[in-house]
Amino acid sequence: MSLLEIKNLHARVEEQEILKGVDLIINPGEIHAIMGPNGSGKSTLAQVLAGKEDYEVTEGEILYKGEDLLEMAPEERAREGIFMAFQYPVEIPGVSNVYFLKAALNAIRTHRGLEEMDAMDFLVYVREKMKVVKMDEALLNRPVNEGFSGGEKKRNEIFHMSVLDPVLAVLDETDSGLDIDALKIVADGVNSLRSEDRAFLVITHYQRLLNYIVPDVVHVLIDGRIVRSGGKELAFELEDKGYAWLEEPLGAGEPVGA
Amino acid sequence: MAPSDTELLEQHVDQKYEAGFVTEVETETFAPGLDEDVIRRISELKGEPDWMLDWRLKAFQHWQTLTEPTWANIEYEPVDYQAISYYSAPKSKQDGPQSLDEVDPEILRTYEKLGIPLQEQKMLAGIAVDAVFDSVSVATTFREKLADAGVIFCPISEAIREHPELVKKHLGTVVPYSDNFFAALNSAVFSDGSFVYVPKGVRCPMELSTYFRINAPNTGQFERTLIIAEEGSYVSYLEGCTAPMRDENQLHAAVVELYAGEEAQIKYSTVQNWYPGDPETGVGGIFNFVTKRGLAAGRRSKISWTQVETGSSITWKYPSCILKGDESVGEFYSVALSKGRQQADTGTKMIHVGKNTTSTIISKGISAGHGQNTYRGAVKILSGADNSRNFSQCDSMLIGDQCGAHTFPYIDVQSPSAQMEHEASTSKIGEDQVFYCNQRGIDTEDAVSMIVNGFCKEVFNELPMEFAVEARKLLEISLEGSVG
């Protein structure tokens, strides 16, 4: 069974249709990249997967582990293993990063029938994970994202991901605004989490992230539809030619599943 | 699709007020109504000396010339002061209980249910409690241990009899009976409350606390607290308040006076959880009209108010500091939550009189449901108060779209060397913040409580440990019952 199966997904925000029939299949262990010009619907797809209420699904369905994902509340999706690294992570003043993560992890553990982790065990566990993303320990005790630089925020998202151990991780333009060093750290974090059971959906505007996170499949999203899918070489082609050559009226376009 | 965050927030409007039960005890309760005779009877029941009765009667005469203030940003049906009973006390053998064995077991159970066991062996070590039930103090714990340190902690009615010189010297000097309508009423009819005296150079060996419980129907509670900290002493005092759920409004008009001598420090913390009334209709709940003021009389004295106001249908309360001594310090840390149909108009006054005086105001207002939350604060720096400083920060948080937050800061600076800083913010609890928490697996209720607790953190940090935990829990219960 595939991990995620999106069929003919249509979604809109305030009357405006953004996704116009997306089909996508992701299997465990795969890394899929979604590329596309601004406004093509990349982030909308991520938000719909995470369950953001502003996005209304008007047609189609999403099966996650064979279940109807759209019936699940955002926190249920998270507890079932869907993680989204936000493009713009919010700040939560007065709530320390470590306290927040412990609450999150224990909500997930409880859902999975595991015992809650106590403060001591959690700290040991978290320190281990921090090494992966080369996080400064000071950021643990600072309020969630408050006063973090752009790079720190993105790194913090990858740190959250490694702590929460997701089944499907959606990275929404995690590379935007990162310099090359930060980009490498983020990519290293993702690569270290690659496993047979875990899948990634990497949303990006630029090809350069895919130099470091090598995808199994690349999809091109234009005007709310996946107009082309291919191997990692498709990303290089896009880097050379841009998107314009794909922006032709559909009909010829072949929506290809992975 | 999953229900929206706003819908989820709205769904939590089912109010749970956990302290809303009634204790069945036989009481001696005055018939409703207020005249000189009622005041004489209260005074007589308490075995008061003549000077006390005279003062009460003067206050009553003055009160009759006053009208209820209307400047606060609150709306309520006028109070019929003749429809209230001004005294209610559980019946007891003789003069009142001499020891816990003589306290009605029902009352002990009441406090136990509220999480405040009065048996010393069961209590949190390090906290002495005065338990005020309607109009009387039913028990005061650890008195002997405190007496060893020279600290007096007893019901004020007892202090009037046993320590008249101390009471006479200080009562009404910080809050005169002429101060305002409710202070005048309280001065006339106050029935009990706590008295604390910390002698020169003594650091009070334990936290002192008073737990106020309104139980009887149709009764007002008018407590009076007086804390005197002599030169170089230190005391930390906490108060907590609850009441049963009733369909009528009940009046609570208290007066608290603090006096700090040279280099003395008083830390006064309140966790107020009076019954807030029905969250849908607004019926019932406590009218909390309270006057609290501290006089930082001596050089380098310090008075610090911390309050967590989660209850009452109406809160009208401005714990204030008069910074008379040079280099004296005043602080006000406040969290006020208005949910359901609650209205809070609260804040502080910092009056700088002495030189080099400093004050800090941190106010966090949270409005949910149809709640209305007003911060009203005054900072006054008089002409002689050279080099005085104030820092004020007033933050408001809105949860849902039916509530309101208002800020009225008054600033009056008469000294050219004064420094003032004022920061204010209003934010709507971010659906983005809630969604971010959801996406990490945290449900909306926990997310809101986490975000609100984070918002209040600076204030909670000021509370003594046990109370900080209590306050956090209370805010959780309150929000569980009220986030709208």
Side-chain angles (χ1 to χ4, degrees):
Chain A
M1 186 176 62
S2 49
L3 180 61
L4 185 76
E5 198 173 343
I6 300 175
K7 294 181 199 162
N8 189 31
L9 183 70
H10 291 249
R12 66 179 177 192
V13 185
E14 294 168 355
E15 303 311 302
Q16 198 191 349
E17 190 167 44
I18 310 275
L19 298 182
K20 301 170 180 171
V22 172
D23 294 276
L24 180 66
I25 292 173
I26 298 180
N27 294 305
E30 292 177 348
I31 296 191
H32 288 238
I34 292 199
M35 302 184 68
N38 287 331
S40 59
K42 300 190 299 289
S43 282
T44 297
L45 180 59
Q47 301 281 349
V48 169
L49 288 172
K52 179 90 170 133
E53 58 165 293
D54 308 345
Y55 297 82
E56 191 192 345
V57 173
T58 51
E59 217 183 313
E61 64 174 342
I62 305 178
L63 297 178
Y64 172 68
K65 298 181 189 167
E67 308 267 332
D68 184 355
L69 184 74
L70 298 176
E71 280 300 307
M72 295 161 75
E75 63 270 27
E76 269 181 86
R77 301 179 191 198
R79 291 168 190 174
E80 285 291 334
I82 292 183
F83 178 92
M84 181 170 82
F86 284 73
Q87 187 177 1
Y88 305 107
V90 297
E91 301 184 356
I92 309 180
V95 178
S96 76
N97 211 10
V98 65
Y99 178 85
F100 176 84
L101 269 179
K102 182 164 165 279
L105 182 67
N106 282 333
I108 291 171
R109 288 177 67 93
T110 305
H111 177 78
R112 295 179 186 170
L114 299 169
E115 257 185 63
E116 292 198 3
M117 215 184 255
D118 69 25
M120 290 310 292
D121 290 345
F122 181 71
L123 215 56
V124 173
Y125 173 74
V126 146
R127 289 218 168 99
E128 201 52 44
K129 300 291 181 186
M130 292 191 78
K131 290 182 195 155
V132 178
V133 282
K134 302 190 173 66
M135 278 268 291
D136 184 352
E137 189 149 345
L139 297 184
L140 262 190
N141 294 312
R142 294 235 311 258
V144 179
N145 293 319
E146 199 183 34
F148 286 27
S149 70
E152 282 171 339
K153 282 184 184 172
K154 295 297 175 73
R155 224 187 293 176
N156 197 36
E157 292 294 285
I158 302 303
F159 170 55
H160 283 196
M161 178 171 82
S162 68
V163 169
L164 300 180
D165 196 23
V167 179
L168 173 66
V170 180
L171 276 59
D172 187 9
E173 303 208 20
T174 301
D175 53 332
S176 66
L178 290 187
D179 61 31
I180 197 74
D181 292 332
L183 190 71
K184 278 184 190 163
I185 290 170
V186 165
D188 286 349
V190 171
N191 288 328
S192 72
L193 290 171
R194 282 187 92 146
S195 83
E196 288 175 10
D197 312 318
R198 197 184 333 263
F200 292 85
L201 181 61
V202 180
I203 292 169
T204 180
H205 188 72
Y206 302 104
Q207 181 272 332
R208 65 171 190 167
L209 177 66
L210 305 180
N211 289 332
Y212 302 100
I213 302 173
V214 182
D216 299 302
V217 190
V218 175
H219 308 273
V220 182
L221 187 71
I222 292 178
D223 193 24
R225 290 183 188 92
I226 289 177
V227 296
R228 182 156 309 213
S229 299
K232 61 182 182 217
E233 58 295 338
L234 179 57
F236 294 107
E237 206 174 344
L238 290 169
E239 188 75 354
D240 278 352
K241 300 194 199 166
Y243 293 107
W245 62 288
L246 290 165
E247 285 175 26
E248 273 138 32
L250 262 160
E254 66 276 43
V256 186
Chain B
M1 280 293 281
S4 74
D5 287 343
T6 316
E7 279 162 8
L8 278 170
L9 293 174
E10 305 283 352
Q11 280 166 18
H12 297 150
V13 177
D14 57 336
Q15 172 86 23
K16 274 181 234 146
Y17 179 72
E18 299 205 333
F21 60 91
V22 177
T23 309
E24 296 298 335
V25 282
E26 252 193 285
T27 58
E28 178 178 8
T29 302
F30 284 11
L34 181 57
D35 53 24
E36 283 202 6
D37 188 45
V38 167
I39 293 164
R40 284 177 201 281
R41 279 164 66 205
I42 293 172
S43 186
E44 196 186 324
L45 268 170
K46 301 276 174 193
E48 285 177 354
D50 288 346
W51 60 265
M52 194 66 247
L53 176 63
D54 288 347
W55 192 73
R56 285 176 180 276
L57 292 172
K58 271 189 212 146
F60 180 62
Q61 280 152 17
H62 184 70
W63 179 72
Q64 287 173 308
T65 68
L66 301 174
T67 48
E68 219 170 304
T70 53
W71 43 262
N73 188 23
I74 49 181
E75 276 175 40
Y76 57 97
E77 291 291 307
V79 178
D80 180 354
Y81 290 91
Q82 294 304 332
I84 297 172
S85 165
Y86 286 83
Y87 186 85
S88 177
K91 269 194 181 150
S92 63
K93 312 155 196 159
Q94 301 157 356
D95 281 354
Q98 299 304 307
S99 75
L100 276 183
D101 303 340
E102 294 174 34
V103 177
D104 188 324
E106 273 305 312
I107 295 178
L108 291 182
R109 266 196 290 279
T110 300
Y111 282 92
E112 209 146 321
K113 235 165 132 176
L114 295 166
I116 309 136
L118 296 174
Q119 288 88 345
E120 293 187 1
Q121 64 274 20
K122 286 194 193 168
M123 297 194 49
L124 283 167
I127 301 184
V129 178
D130 182 18
V132 176
F133 194 85
D134 291 328
S135 303
V136 293
S137 168
V138 290
T140 310
T141 62
F142 290 112
R143 289 172 65 166
E144 288 79 17
K145 189 174 173 197
L146 290 165
D148 288 346
V151 174
I152 302 169
F153 180 40
C154 69
I156 197 157
S157 52
E158 186 183 315
I160 292 166
R161 292 193 303 269
E162 309 288 328
H163 309 284
E165 68 301 335
L166 287 172
V167 176
K168 216 171 168 177
K169 185 173 167 196
H170 291 285
L171 190 77
T173 57
V174 185
V175 181
Y177 64 70
S178 55
D179 191 80
N180 68 69
F181 181 83
F182 297 109
L185 178 63
N186 174 284
S187 302
V189 302
F190 77 88
S191 42
D192 228 330
S194 300
F195 175 79
V196 177
Y197 178 78
V198 191
K200 187 173 167 178
V202 171
R203 191 180 168 88
C204 186
M206 54 206 316
E207 305 267 359
L208 305 183
S209 71
T210 302
Y211 197 91
F212 295 100
R213 174 77 179 167
I214 296 179
N215 186 63
N218 205 19
T219 307
Q221 190 175 56
F222 305 93
E223 93 264 1
R224 184 128 196 152
T225 294
L226 175 60
I227 299 178
I228 303 160
E230 296 284 23
E231 188 181 328
S233 68
Y234 170 86
V235 61
S236 168
Y237 176 92
L238 328 162
E239 63 174 352
C241 333
T242 59
M245 294 159 77
R246 295 188 192 282
D247 287 344
E248 83 229 23
N249 293 113
Q250 282 183 279
L251 182 62
H252 173 257
V255 170
V256 174
E257 295 178 279
L258 312 181
Y259 171 89
E262 193 169 316
E263 295 197 351
Q265 288 188 26
I266 301 176
K267 185 173 172 60
Y268 192 106
S269 315
T270 303
V271 173
Q272 185 263 107
N273 185 28
W274 296 120
Y275 176 53
D278 186 279
E280 297 297 326
T281 60
V283 169
I286 301 291
F287 287 170
N288 192 31
F289 296 112
V290 171
T291 305
K292 292 182 169 178
R293 193 173 302 148
L295 175 63
R299 196 179 59 85
R300 302 185 67 176
S301 55
K302 178 176 173 184
I303 287 177
S304 180
W305 299 100
T306 305
Q307 60 172 22
V308 177
E309 305 281 324
T310 62
S312 296
S313 68
I314 292 181
T315 296
W316 180 99
K317 183 184 168 190
Y318 316 90
S320 305
C321 298
I322 301 168
L323 304 172
K324 189 171 166 221
D326 289 349
E327 296 173 56
S328 59
V329 176
E331 294 174 340
F332 174 74
Y333 299 96
S334 170
V335 167
L337 169 68
S338 313
K339 59 191 188 294
R341 301 276 168 178
Q342 283 178 284
Q343 305 173 65
D345 191 306
T346 185
T348 184
K349 269 191 275 187
M350 292 290 175
I351 299 162
H352 294 251
V353 184
K355 294 180 182 29
N356 302 310
T357 48
T358 52
S359 61
T360 304
I361 298 171
I362 309 281
S363 163
K364 304 279 180 175
I366 304 154
S367 315
H370 290 86
Q372 292 294 327
N373 207 312
T374 301
Y375 168 79
R376 187 183 305 277
V379 178
K380 206 168 188 174
I381 299 188
L382 301 184
S383 59
D386 300 342
N387 302 311
S388 290
R389 297 195 309 270
N390 165 266
F391 173 77
S392 301
Q393 184 186 329
C394 305
D395 298 325
S396 305
M397 180 181 269
L398 301 167
I399 303 174
D401 50 13
Q402 308 283 311
C403 53
H406 318 271
T407 304
F408 300 100
Y410 303 90
I411 295 170
D412 176 4
V413 179
Q414 296 164 16
S415 164
S417 58
Q419 282 181 43
M420 301 278 304
E421 276 179 80
H422 184 93
E423 292 176 6
S425 76
T426 300
S427 58
K428 195 167 182 297
I429 195 165
E431 292 197 352
D432 287 345
Q433 286 176 324
V434 174
F435 180 65
Y436 187 79
C437 296
N438 289 159
Q439 208 301 305
R440 297 296 187 256
I442 299 166
D443 65 34
T444 298
E445 199 166 295
D446 289 346
V448 169
S449 127
M450 189 184 278
I451 294 163
V452 169
N453 270 299
F455 176 72
C456 300
K457 197 173 183 188
E458 283 163 282
V459 174
F460 287 167
N461 284 347
E462 294 298 321
L463 285 172
M465 187 66 160
E466 297 82 359
F467 254 41
V469 174
E470 172 78 26
R472 235 169 246 136
K473 268 197 246 157
L474 204 55
L475 215 57
E476 267 165 34
I477 294 171
S478 282
L479 285 166
E480 188 183 310
S482 74
V483 173

